[in-house]
Amino acid sequence: MKKQQQHGGAGGCPDTRPPAAAAAAAGGGPGPGGGWRRRRPLSLLPFLSLRDYGFCMAALLLFCLGSLFYQLNGGPPHFLLDLRHYLGNSTYLDDHGPPPQKVLPFPSQVVYNRVGKCGSRTVVLLLRILSEKHGFNLVTSDIHNKTRLTKNEQMELIKNISTAEQPYLFTRHVHFLNFSRFGGDQPVYINIIRDPVNRFLSNYFFRRFGDWRGEQNHMIRTPSMRQEERYLDINVCILENYPECSNPRLFYIIPYFCGQHPRCREPGEWALERAKLNVNENFLLVGILEELEDVLLLLERFLPHYFKDVLSIYKNPEHRKLGNLTVTVKKTVPSPEAIQILYQRMRYEYEFYYYVKEQFHLLKRKFGLKSHIRKPRPRPEFFIPSPLETEEPIDDEEEDDEKWLEDIYKSGGKEVLLSPFRTLGTDTASGA
């Protein structure tokens, strides 16, 4: 009896179910013919009835149709908007925060610490047109004749520049500023230089006689200049070692790249090497004024958000007319003896100039540009001159570029310049 109880059920356990349930589990059951009905196979959703299953499929179909309607019409169906309004006014921003900021061009911070008498007014005039055409922020300064700054002045200027709306291009006559030293993001620098003697001669006569506006302009620019100084012969100034024609006043280009350190204003190897280092590490491009069209072409390739179409604008006849107005008047050439003395006094300036020129030509070759310029004159052979006893330089008297440009804009030059370039921009857009 004990053995029958052990083997009476499945798996050795006694079957305690009633006979009807046991028969149903065995596959039988009462049916129409008097037997037991077979149970339906298990489905994916055994706990749903056919009515519930049909309701789910209808809801899924309705959702698919709504999604299709959303995509075909570019927006959500009205019933979804009504449902959203019924459920509440929460938005995507409430759940995910503000939308991502607009994508800025790279780089979005550019500084053009322009060197005086190196085509800066021509480039600034182009930048005025380009900023309106392309929509970048052209940041200028009301201070035009202070290139050397105290530590507090550096901090204040860097703060003002860094808080400008991006993308921006800041331009001013100022020696190189190290933004990272004061905790700011280091911008990309660009600049243009020219033959040092030519730059000096242009500045010498510009301070005395101005440019297209005639002698009345220079009277306003340098009112304190005595008549004997204004009409001082350039050869006398050089040969008799006047302060304006001697060091450290002639040591002019290198400090724009060396920086604000006091030693950057002392002619020597230290300032020269530091200027070269900054050119390599912080300047995207340092061009040569004698090859300005190639400079503009490279700027257009490197910084298209700022300089797109700059070469077309520069070659436009209307712009050429205004560009010719910046030419210095009454410029004369010193004697060969005076030129040789200038070479001697500007030896470091020329070492830097030829270094930048070689780097610029190397960059041109990388982009397949050929130099179409006259054969350059041979480099001067320097010898170390005797120390010159000269007084400390006064603050640089840079030209007021912004004031000059404002005069042009007020006189109607803005409309003359912009009208052909707006047409150019429309043609370009339509061609695209």
Side-chain angles (χ1 to χ4, degrees), residues 141-366:
S141 174
D142 295 330
I143 302 174
H144 313 290
N145 61 351
K146 190 167 187 179
T147 58
R148 302 188 293 268
L149 309 177
T150 65
K151 183 177 180 180
N152 289 336
E153 290 172 338
Q154 293 178 56
M155 294 176 61
E156 185 67 21
L157 180 57
I158 289 175
K159 178 182 177 181
N160 292 337
I161 298 173
S162 301
T163 54
E165 181 183 358
Q166 299 182 27
Y168 70 74
L169 191 151
F170 173 78
T171 178
R172 173 182 161 177
H173 294 294
V174 65
H175 295 168
F176 173 79
L177 294 168
N178 189 346
F179 282 60
S180 59
R181 177 189 175 193
F182 299 98
D185 295 331
Q186 190 71 7
V188 167
Y189 275 83
I190 58 173
N191 216 323
I192 301 174
I193 65 174
R194 72 189 290 189
D195 180 274
V197 167
N198 287 340
R199 194 219 67 82
F200 162 74
L201 295 177
S202 179
N203 185 66
Y204 182 89
F205 291 104
F206 178 78
R207 293 183 64 243
R208 286 163 170 77
F209 307 114
D211 46 28
W212 61 280
R213 287 164 290 182
E215 296 194 15
Q216 296 302 319
N217 174 56
H218 73 257
M219 295 295 184
I220 299 175
R221 186 178 301 281
T222 54
S224 61
M225 183 178 288
R226 301 188 305 271
Q227 286 297 99
E228 57 270 23
E229 182 183 359
R230 189 178 302 278
Y231 292 95
L232 176 65
D233 184 85
I234 183 68
N235 292 300
V236 174
C237 181
I238 297 171
L239 297 176
E240 296 188 11
N241 201 21
Y242 278 67
E244 187 177 358
C245 301
S246 305
N247 278 316
R249 294 283 291 277
L250 294 178
F251 193 69
Y252 182 85
I253 298 177
I254 288 178
Y256 277 87
F257 301 88
C258 178
Q260 298 290 335
H261 195 282
R263 292 186 66 182
C264 288
R265 302 191 292 271
E266 301 174 2
E269 292 289 341
W270 189 90
L272 172 64
E273 294 304 319
R274 181 159 177 163
K276 290 180 180 179
L277 181 64
N278 280 331
V279 167
N280 295 332
E281 293 185 352
N282 295 292
F283 282 81
L284 177 66
L285 177 68
V286 181
I288 303 298
L289 182 62
E290 293 85 352
E291 304 171 43
L292 181 57
E293 289 192 8
D294 288 339
V295 176
L296 298 178
L297 181 60
L298 288 177
L299 285 173
E300 186 172 353
R301 294 192 180 185
F302 290 158
L303 301 170
H305 186 80
Y306 301 89
F307 288 95
K308 184 180 180 182
D309 298 327
V310 64
L311 201 55
S312 301
I313 297 174
Y314 174 72
K315 291 182 177 181
N316 186 281
E318 296 297 332
H319 181 271
R320 289 286 191 177
K321 290 179 182 179
L322 288 179
N324 292 334
L325 300 178
T326 66
V327 177
T328 303
V329 299
K330 294 189 177 183
K331 187 188 300 184
T332 61
V333 179
S335 66
E337 180 184 3
I339 290 290
Q340 183 60 32
I341 290 177
L342 285 179
Y343 281 152
Q344 297 168 12
R345 295 174 183 174
M346 304 174 79
R347 56 169 303 193
Y348 295 112
E349 293 276 280
Y350 268 99
E351 285 189 36
F352 181 74
Y353 171 74
Y354 283 114
Y355 174 80
V356 169
K357 192 173 185 178
E358 289 172 358
Q359 297 298 314
F360 180 67
H361 287 170
L362 178 62
L363 196 59
K364 286 173 58 176
R365 287 195 295 271
K366 287 183 178 180

Side-chain angles (χ1 to χ4, degrees), residues 381-400:
E381 295 184 4
F382 301 109
F383 63 89
I384 299 177
S386 58
L388 299 173
E389 297 292 336
T390 57
E391 59 188 62
E392 283 296 314
I394 60 175
D395 284 342
D396 303 312
E397 296 180 3
E398 299 293 356
E399 61 270 28
D400 188 345

Side-chain angles (χ1 to χ4, degrees), residues 43-116:
S43 64
L44 293 177
L45 299 173
F47 52 86
L48 293 180
S49 65
L50 291 177
R51 184 183 62 180
D52 295 336
Y53 186 75
F55 179 81
C56 290
M57 293 303 296
L60 180 61
L61 178 61
L62 184 63
F63 177 81
C64 293
L65 291 176
S67 300
L68 180 62
F69 185 85
Y70 181 96
Q71 298 179 35
L72 292 177
N73 292 275
H78 288 291
F79 79 90
L80 289 182
L81 293 175
D82 295 339
L83 179 63
R84 175 179 174 272
H85 180 72
Y86 176 79
L87 294 177
N89 289 323
S90 64
T91 64
Y92 178 88
L93 296 182
D94 297 331
D95 300 329
H96 299 81
Q101 296 181 351
K102 65 177 182 179
V103 178
L104 294 173
F106 180 82
S108 60
Q109 304 171 81
V110 180
V111 172
Y112 171 36
N113 63 322
R114 57 187 190 269
V115 180

